[in-house]
Amino acid sequence: MPKKLVIKVTAGPESAERCSQAFTVAAVAVASGVEVSLWLTGESSWFALPGRAAEFELPHAAPLPDLLDSILAGGRVTLCTQCAARREITEKDVLEGVRIAGAQVFVQEAMADGTQALVY
């Protein structure tokens, strides 16, 4: 089993199940001791902002704020540079612990030895 997991989530509320699956897998991996890097891209970019995860609802799914908190506590959360710029989100806007980085960093993380990458 890889010791590192890189997850890119591209979906937001418009594709709630796919979005929730990405956060759920990331949180379960963190809880299992896996090194996790969750990338927020596309419509999931908004979840880097305070309070936005609380607006997400999906029946029979764990609350997104709880999942995000557990990922931030034990893993890394990154907001895509271009996605942030398109939404006029800056480093001062995001939740504590969220970094903004670009494709070069994503590729570097995804290609590291012992890493599994998933895209939702």
Side-chain angles (χ1 to χ4, degrees), residues 9-23 43-44 47 56-58 64 120:
V9 56
T10 63
E14 80 292 345
S15 187
E17 288 182 308
R18 190 163 39 108
C19 177
S20 179
Q21 289 168 1
F23 280 87
E43 289 305 303
S44 72
F47 297 126
F56 181 88
E57 293 184 16
L58 181 63
L64 203 63
Y120 286 87

Side-chain angles (χ1 to χ4, degrees), residues 27-65:
V28 168
V30 166
S32 300
V34 176
E35 184 180 329
V36 173
S37 178
L38 178 68
W39 282 72
L40 304 176
T41 67
E43 289 305 303
S44 72
S45 299
W46 295 112
F47 297 126
L49 298 175
R52 292 306 275 273
E55 298 172 5
F56 181 88
E57 293 184 16
L58 181 63
H60 310 290
L64 203 63

